[in-house]
């Protein structure tokens, strides 16, 4: 199968986990009814985004949220990329994305590798690492329509991570993320187009919808970019589902026309200077 429909659930996220879970399921079902075979949720879809919330909202995998997602994947017979939420294991908390197959089985879990730590003196301090531990591996999974790689938010800023997924044969990278009102307009789409163009693959980003009253206001604009670097589906900041048709035949065409990925890697980059 070389063509399939991808759906990105740009949902509002509030402070009640139960409500948000049922909301997520409602959207997943709607997306599947509209023909999506792969559905992705945003970063931190069942808890507010912020270091002060992560511990309180954290849970184990398997746990309440993963069971709800597993059931939603199975009932709708879709691959489900479970955005992310705070996961607890052995006293550590991770920002984790579980992935489920159409039979409801957990087939992968990605723990955010690059934690977002910034400290601009006198301006802003935000340190995920005060509360979160980082993941230590890349995460991809196989589907009937190609291999898919997962990153979470800040992970998209590290080109070598996406390149590594590309070398492992991924044709689509999905980044649940929550950029803010400064980094969003400046970099969200640009980073995504860069990763897609560099690696000649599809890249999707999934943000929560914007809530102006939240302590962390997100940019929204969930987007899909094709291997030519073009935006093929996007939206503004409101709650919605973004759909895109992914065509692996088109990806091959792009790679034929500009065969950078077949070029032998040059030793110049790795040899000592
Ligand atoms: C967003 O985050 C950046 C740093 O990553 C920070 O400089 C900026 O002030 C933040 N913007 C808002 C609106 O909070
Ligand atoms: C979990 C939950 O339901 N909390 C919030 C989920 O999203 C809606 C929409 O914003 C909120 O109203 C809920 O409080």
């Amino acid at each position: 199968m070389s063509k399939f429909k991808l759906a990105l659930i740009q949902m509002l996220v509030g402070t009640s986990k139960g409500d948000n879970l049922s909301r997520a399921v409602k959207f997943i079902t709607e997306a599947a009814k509209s023909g999506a075979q792969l559905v992705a949720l945003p970063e931190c879809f069942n808890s507010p985004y912020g270091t002060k919330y992560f511990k309180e909202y954290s849970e184990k995998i398997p746990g309440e949220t993963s069971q709800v997602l597993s059931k939603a994947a199975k009932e709708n017979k879709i691959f489900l990329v479970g955005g992310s939420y705070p996961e607890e294991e052995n006293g550590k908390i991770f920002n984790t994305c579980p992935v489920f197959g159409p039979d409801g089985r957990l087939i992968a879990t990605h723990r955010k590798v690059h934690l977002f730590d910034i400290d601009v003196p006198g301006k802003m301090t935000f340190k995920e690492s005060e509360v979160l531990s980082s993941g230590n591996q890349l995460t991809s999974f196989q589907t009937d329509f190609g291999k898919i790689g997962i990153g979470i938010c800040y992970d998209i800023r590290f080109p070598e991570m996406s390149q590594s997924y590309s070398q492992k044969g991924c044709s689509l990278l999905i980044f649940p993320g929550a950029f803010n009102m400064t980094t969003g307009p400046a970099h969200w789409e640009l980073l995504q187009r860069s990763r897609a163009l560099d690696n000649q693959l599809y890249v999707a980003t999934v943000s929560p919808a914007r809530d102006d009253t939240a302590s962390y206001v997100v940019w929204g604009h969930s987007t899909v970019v094709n291997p030519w670097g073009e935006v093929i589906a996007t939206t503004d900041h409101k709650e919605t589902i973004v759909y895109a048709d992914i065509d692996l035949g088109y990806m091959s065409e792009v790679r034929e026309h500009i065969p950078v990925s077949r070029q032998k890697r040059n030793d110049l980059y790795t040899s000592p200077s």
Side-chain angles (χ1 to χ4, degrees):
M1 203 189 311
S2 75
K3 287 189 187 176
F4 65 97
K5 195 183 280 288
L6 166 67
L8 311 177
I9 310 291
Q10 180 168 297
M11 56 180 273
L12 277 168
V13 176
T15 50
S16 148
K17 191 192 274 190
D19 286 358
N20 281 310
L21 275 177
S22 43
R23 235 178 144 68
V25 171
K26 184 186 75 126
F27 281 119
I28 292 165
T29 308
E30 182 185 331
K33 287 216 170 80
S34 304
Q37 292 130 294
L38 172 60
V39 178
L41 296 169
E43 182 179 23
C44 279
F45 78 93
N46 81 1
S47 85
Y49 181 75
T51 50
K52 66 172 185 275
Y53 299 107
F54 294 148
K55 190 166 188 339
E56 177 191 344
Y57 282 80
S58 68
E59 50 177 278
K60 299 206 184 296
I61 296 179
E64 181 195 358
T65 298
S66 72
Q67 277 154 12
V68 169
L69 296 182
S70 159
K71 185 158 168 264
K74 188 173 178 182
E75 283 179 359
N76 292 292
K77 300 190 179 60
I78 49 150
F79 284 93
L80 177 59
V81 173
S84 84
Y85 55 92
E87 177 211 1
E88 191 271 325
E89 189 190 63
N90 297 328
K92 286 186 174 169
I93 301 173
F94 302 89
N95 187 348
T96 303
C97 172
V99 181
F100 302 88
D103 57 0
R105 230 167 17 96
L106 178 71
I107 53 174
T109 50
H110 180 70
R111 289 171 167 169
K112 188 177 193 172
V113 173
H114 302 93
L115 295 180
F116 186 51
D117 280 350
I118 56 158
D119 189 5
V120 188
K123 287 209 170 144
M124 182 172 179
T125 303
F126 187 95
K127 288 198 173 156
E128 281 189 331
S129 68
E130 282 173 356
V131 187
L132 297 178
S133 300
S134 55
N136 57 9
Q137 53 193 3
L138 298 184
T139 310
S140 58
F141 59 98
Q142 191 64 50
T143 69
D144 313 334
F145 30 81
K147 200 172 194 183
I148 295 166
I150 303 288
I152 298 177
C153 202
Y154 201 41
D155 284 340
I156 200 174
R157 288 193 185 266
F158 297 83
E160 59 276 32
M161 182 170 173
S162 295
Q163 189 175 31
S164 175
Y165 277 133
S166 168
Q167 285 161 357
K168 289 176 199 301
C170 292
S171 43
L172 165 66
L173 305 182
I174 299 181
F175 293 91
F179 274 33
N180 74 11
M181 296 297 287
T182 307
T183 55
H187 297 154
W188 176 255
E189 183 181 305
L190 181 59
L191 283 166
Q192 183 173 359
R193 294 184 66 194
S194 307
R195 298 297 85 90
L197 181 62
D198 282 349
N199 298 297
Q200 301 182 310
L201 40 63
Y202 284 90
V203 177
T205 49
V206 206
S207 171
R210 188 180 308 159
D211 171 3
D212 288 302
T213 66
S215 55
Y216 182 94
V217 180
V218 301
W219 172 236
H221 292 76
S222 300
T223 296
V224 183
V225 175
N226 72 14
W228 191 250
E230 289 168 318
V231 171
I232 56 166
T234 188
T235 188
D236 58 13
H237 58 276
K238 295 190 284 293
E239 190 164 67
T240 189
I241 303 178
V242 173
Y243 293 97
D245 291 312
I246 307 293
D247 180 355
L248 301 184
Y250 177 71
M251 186 181 81
S252 306
E253 235 173 80
V254 167
R255 291 178 174 194
E256 286 293 313
H257 284 258
I258 304 181
V260 283
S261 47
R262 282 208 307 259
Q263 186 98 4
K264 190 176 167 300
R265 288 290 148 197
N266 198 314
D267 299 336
L268 279 175
Y269 312 133
T270 46
S271 57
S273 56

